Amino acid sequence: MRAAARELDISHSAVSRHLVELETWIGVPLVERSTRRWTPTPQGAALARRLQELFREMDDAIEAARESGSPFSVTIAAAPSFASRWLLPRLPALERAHPRIALSLLVNQRLETPSEGIDLAVRMGAGPWPGLECEPLMDERLYPVASPAYWRQAGGGEEVDCLHGMRLLHDRDPSASWELWRRHFGPASLALEHGARLASSDLVLRAAELGQGVALARERFAGDALAAGTLLRPFDGKAVHLPQAYWIVRPAKPRAGASKRHAIATVVQWLKEQAGAG
């Protein structure tokens, strides 16, 4: 109560009174009261977690609205894996090349129309999507990777048959599935029903770096780990090509002014240059 009162700049008795009124309105107890300590009930803890998420979303929306007032601010949305593995390491290059542009990066995996306050998005998948201005950004290649320690311990070799008996790490994205790679390179008897199934390409690569199995990696995301030696690529040349795997997506009818449109076009051109560079 005291900490909340300090944060809100009101008395702790007022905080306590508001809490009682909230419990009465909701109809369930939110805290368990004792003479020494108050602790949240399961309902109170669940409500607090959800409200914290909503407050953070409100904060993000307000910040995006504030930043959108500048003609040099550009807000881009991207999936977590793309943001962390490909875009984030390149942002210093954008700042050096275009110091006036203030880029805001929002992370989400939603595929609906970019929301108000988002100038453009990078999507992974088989576009284009109706109702949006969609432009191919770059292609992709898929190939197996593993940590050097796991590959040695599992008895890895130069032929794909050595994958038998190894733990396979699966990306839930069907466009990056082991079934697709097996169809091209085998072995036909490779069992795909076992192994961890992870929600993002970034998690798949992280699990492989930790020695938890063999991952089917997106080349665009695995480059830094391969260069650093935390991952190795065992079957050179055996890669599945995915054309037009990443897209730049914008609202079909943008409302930005001329200066803002120029900043967005600058970021789009920079993304294309980075995609061409690898």
Side-chain angles (χ1 to χ4, degrees):
M1 293 300 107
R2 291 190 182 93
R6 286 194 298 271
E7 178 72 19
L8 299 171
D9 196 23
I10 60 177
S11 67
H12 68 268
S13 60
V15 176
S16 179
R17 185 174 66 254
H18 283 305
L19 181 57
V20 171
E21 292 172 354
L22 181 60
E23 289 178 317
T24 302
W25 181 65
I26 294 177
V28 296
L30 300 177
V31 295
E32 296 176 352
R33 296 164 172 83
S34 68
T35 56
R36 302 187 61 182
R37 185 179 183 184
W38 288 15
T39 57
T41 63
Q43 297 93 331
L47 178 62
R49 285 193 298 270
R50 182 62 180 131
L51 289 176
Q52 284 175 333
E53 294 172 1
L54 293 172
F55 284 137
R56 281 193 291 268
E57 290 182 12
M58 289 172 59
D59 187 55
D60 290 342
I62 292 170
E63 189 63 28
R66 181 183 293 117
E67 293 173 350
S68 65
S70 168
F72 301 105
S73 67
V74 177
T75 300
I76 181 171
S81 297
F82 182 89
S84 64
R85 290 275 177 171
W86 192 87
L87 184 55
L88 192 61
R90 290 168 169 78
L91 290 186
L94 173 64
E95 185 175 355
R96 289 192 298 270
H98 306 285
R100 298 185 70 183
I101 289 180
L103 188 73
S104 295
L105 176 59
L106 299 181
V107 174
N108 66 54
Q109 300 190 79
R110 297 189 295 270
L111 288 180
E112 68 268 18
T113 302
S115 61
E116 191 71 26
I118 295 177
D119 298 306
L120 62 110
V122 176
R123 289 186 178 174
M124 301 159 56
W129 293 268
L132 296 170
E133 181 182 329
C134 302
E135 186 177 2
L137 175 61
M138 58 186 179
D139 61 359
E140 185 58 282
R141 297 200 308 160
L142 304 174
Y143 47 68
V145 296
S147 72
Y150 179 82
W151 192 251
R152 288 193 301 269
Q153 292 167 5
E158 297 181 358
E159 302 299 327
V160 296
D161 286 342
C162 72
L163 291 172
H164 285 298
M166 293 188 183
R167 293 192 302 274
L168 301 184
L169 302 169
H170 301 268
D171 193 326
R172 289 190 180 276
D173 182 354
S175 65
S177 69
W178 273 103
E179 171 59 36
L180 183 62
W181 195 83
R182 183 180 66 176
R183 201 180 306 150
H184 283 78
F185 303 109
S189 57
L190 183 64
L192 303 181
E193 60 272 15
H194 303 298
R197 281 161 170 76
L198 303 169
S200 73
S201 301
D202 184 43
L203 288 176
V204 171
L205 287 175
R206 183 61 182 144
E209 288 174 316
L210 293 173
Q212 296 179 7
V214 184
L216 191 62
R218 291 176 176 268
E219 183 176 50
R220 299 285 185 173
F221 299 167
D224 289 345
L226 291 170
T230 58
L231 291 175
L232 61 80
R233 180 184 173 187
F235 310 119
D236 190 31
K238 290 182 169 59
V240 177
H241 180 233
L242 302 179
Q244 298 183 352
Y246 303 89
W247 296 73
I248 296 174
V249 176
R250 285 176 277 183
K253 297 179 179 180
R255 299 179 181 178
S259 297
K260 180 81 164 184
R261 289 197 300 270
H262 177 73
I264 295 171
T266 299
V267 172
V268 169
Q269 181 59 37
W270 176 82
L271 286 170
K272 294 178 181 178
E273 292 170 358
Q274 294 296 308

